[in-house]
Amino acid sequence: MATYHLDARLAQEIVARTMKIIDSNVNVMDARGRIIGSGDSERIGEMHEGALLALSQARVVDIDDAVAKHLHGVRPGVNLPMRIDGEIVGVIGLTGEPETLHHYGELVCMTAEMMLEQARLLHMLAQDSRLREELVLNLIRSDTLSPALMEWAQRLGIDLELPRVVAVVEVDSGQLEVDSAMSELQQLQTMLITPERDNLIAIVSLTEMVVLKPAFNTHGRFDAEDHRKRVELLLSRMKERGHLRMRIALGNFFTGPGSIARSYRTAHTTMVVGKQRMPEQRSYFYQDLVLPVLLDSLRGGWQANELSRPLAKLKSMDSNGLLKRTLISWFSHNVQPSATAKALYIHRNTLEYRLNRISELTGLNLSHFDDRLLLYVALQLDEQP
């Protein structure tokens, strides 16, 4: 039995292609001798005894009028075994006078075998791509490299020792229908793989893709600025080509067990935080959002509620948001009074008054480092800083 299984769709495609070459009916039989493709649709599903002879004897079998009378469901013609890597995977049968058909029977068989080989290669590439995607999905979810995962990677020729950093790519939802969105993602996937890339890529959903990028530059170092430039270049190329609008978030680089999963978590959270704080931007980098990304896991927990309590008091009494904006500017200018007052276009005395008012409403002493830190963290946790 052949290890390659010829399917009916491809068989009918072979029939259509080869019947353009010759003025004769063509049948394609599988490795069991059953007709699975034919110019005569009524014959599909029948057993072809001429094909069974070709399969059992592994040779071209001619069927003339005399022989056809002794075989069930067989008409005069030529039956040629189709081979891939020397293995017979099916039979192609040409209806007509054997002597006439011999002139181009081999050509027709060769055409069919070329189509089979092409289909097999495409199948192998698609299977390899799916296995790579599954491996990537396992890597971003696993804190440890199991022996099975390592063996899986080895069979695919993937070096898990190569340091990698994770980027999350998100496509704006609602722009296209499902088929169009998947087509766009696949085009983007191809762009990220070629040329000379060593990226590992998986499509997580219709709006999200994850990319495992080689982390080191040619000097064997992790250069965050170089990765930033590459991300911006990709966004520029996508914009020029008129593809879907997309966002990219680059996570932190880690080494050791579970490094890819940790990098993915930082990239995913960087995307979430980045969209909240800078929705107009298309790229976000962990190094720019370290504190809010690390604090994001607290959101919704009792710790976050306690940390946010002083700021909540301030916001309840700050109807126009003036004091909160002052506090943000003060922290943005490293709590330097002169720089803050200048940025806000106010006198230093006005700034001092506002800071004192903030202290009164929050119950915190802004001259104490711990109290300052509490307010700063509260601002980082605030969904609309």
Side-chain angles (χ1 to χ4, degrees), residues 152-177:
W152 187 353
Q154 187 176 15
R155 288 183 178 180
L156 291 171
I158 296 172
D159 182 9
L160 293 184
E161 297 297 320
L162 179 67
R164 295 183 181 275
V165 63
V166 177
V168 169
V169 180
E170 186 177 278
V171 174
D172 287 354
S173 59
Q175 295 185 68
L176 297 174
E177 296 179 351

Side-chain angles (χ1 to χ4, degrees), residues 189-209:
Q189 185 177 26
T190 300
M191 184 183 296
L192 289 167
I193 292 175
T194 55
E196 86 266 344
R197 306 289 188 218
D198 196 14
N199 295 329
L200 297 177
I201 301 171
I203 296 176
V204 180
S205 69
L206 286 176
T207 59
E208 184 180 333
M209 178 186 294

Side-chain angles (χ1 to χ4, degrees), residues 1 15 31 56 64 105 115 144-145 211 224 303 315 384:
M1 181 70 68
V15 168
S56 62
D64 56 21
M115 292 177 67
T144 58
L145 287 178
V211 184
Q303 298 97 329
K315 291 168 68 175
Q384 297 178 339

Side-chain angles (χ1 to χ4, degrees), residues 5-302:
H5 299 286
L6 175 61
D7 62 59
R9 181 197 59 78
L10 180 57
Q12 198 59 44
E13 189 177 335
I14 290 173
V15 168
R17 181 83 61 87
T18 53
M19 286 185 68
K20 292 179 180 178
I21 301 174
I22 62 171
D23 185 20
S24 174
N25 182 58
V26 174
N27 298 315
V28 173
M29 283 69 70
D30 62 17
R32 297 176 298 172
R34 187 178 299 276
I35 299 175
I36 58 173
S38 176
D40 181 359
S41 59
E42 293 184 0
R43 299 198 65 187
I44 293 178
E46 294 180 0
M47 292 299 297
H48 194 289
E49 292 192 19
L52 291 174
L53 286 173
L55 289 167
S56 62
Q57 298 177 16
R59 64 176 181 86
V60 177
V61 173
D62 295 342
I63 306 292
D64 56 21
D65 288 325
V67 175
K69 293 178 182 179
H70 296 88
L71 297 176
H72 175 70
V74 174
R75 298 171 186 173
V78 177
N79 296 280
L80 304 97
M82 295 185 293
R83 292 177 169 86
I84 291 183
D85 292 337
E87 180 181 18
I88 297 177
V89 296
V91 175
I92 186 165
L94 285 62
T95 304
E97 291 296 327
E99 291 183 4
T100 304
L101 294 175
H102 268 298
H103 293 297
Y104 32 61
E106 293 293 336
L107 175 62
V108 171
C109 186
M110 185 183 302
T111 301
E113 288 176 342
M114 288 174 62
M115 292 177 67
L116 285 171
E117 182 64 26
Q118 183 181 39
R120 185 184 71 144
L121 290 174
L122 289 174
H123 175 76
M124 289 173 62
L125 287 172
Q127 187 178 47
D128 181 76
S129 178
R130 286 195 298 272
L131 289 173
R132 283 173 172 267
E133 283 200 86
E134 285 298 321
L135 176 65
V136 170
L137 293 175
N138 274 273
L139 288 173
I140 64 174
R141 296 166 183 161
S142 304
D143 288 318
T144 58
L145 287 178
S146 65
L149 206 58
M150 295 178 70
E151 182 181 355
W152 187 353
Q154 187 176 15
R155 288 183 178 180
L156 291 171
I158 296 172
D159 182 9
L160 293 184
E161 297 297 320
L162 179 67
R164 295 183 181 275
V165 63
V166 177
V168 169
V169 180
E170 186 177 278
V171 174
D172 287 354
S173 59
Q175 295 185 68
L176 297 174
E177 296 179 351
V178 171
D179 290 344
S180 298
M182 182 57 72
S183 175
E184 290 283 354
L185 280 174
Q186 288 171 344
Q187 290 182 40
L188 174 58
Q189 185 177 26
T190 300
M191 184 183 296
L192 289 167
I193 292 175
T194 55
E196 86 266 344
R197 306 289 188 218
D198 196 14
N199 295 329
L200 297 177
I201 301 171
I203 296 176
V204 180
S205 69
L206 286 176
T207 59
E208 184 180 333
M209 178 186 294
V210 61
V211 184
L212 276 54
K213 295 164 51 66
F216 288 172
N217 59 18
T218 54
H219 302 292
R221 298 193 303 269
F222 175 71
D223 186 343
E225 191 59 33
D226 180 61
H227 283 284
R228 186 188 297 267
K229 291 177 182 177
R230 289 180 179 273
V231 166
E232 298 299 346
L233 178 61
L234 174 62
L235 286 171
S236 176
R237 289 172 61 196
M238 292 297 291
K239 186 176 181 180
E240 289 175 1
R241 298 189 180 197
H243 287 265
L244 290 172
R245 282 171 58 81
M246 56 184 243
R247 291 182 170 90
I248 301 179
L250 186 70
N252 197 20
F253 169 62
F254 299 94
T255 59
S259 58
I260 290 178
R262 293 167 65 192
S263 185
Y264 169 72
R265 286 193 285 267
T266 60
H268 180 77
T269 309
T270 296
M271 178 70 78
V272 172
V273 173
K275 289 196 300 181
Q276 288 175 348
R277 292 167 173 267
M278 299 164 285
E280 73 287 352
Q281 290 193 22
R282 314 307 296 179
S283 59
Y284 311 109
F285 302 90
Y286 172 79
Q287 285 76 12
D288 298 338
L289 297 164
V290 175
L291 185 58
V293 166
L294 294 177
L295 291 172
D296 189 73
S297 62
L298 296 177
R299 197 178 302 280
W302 69 267

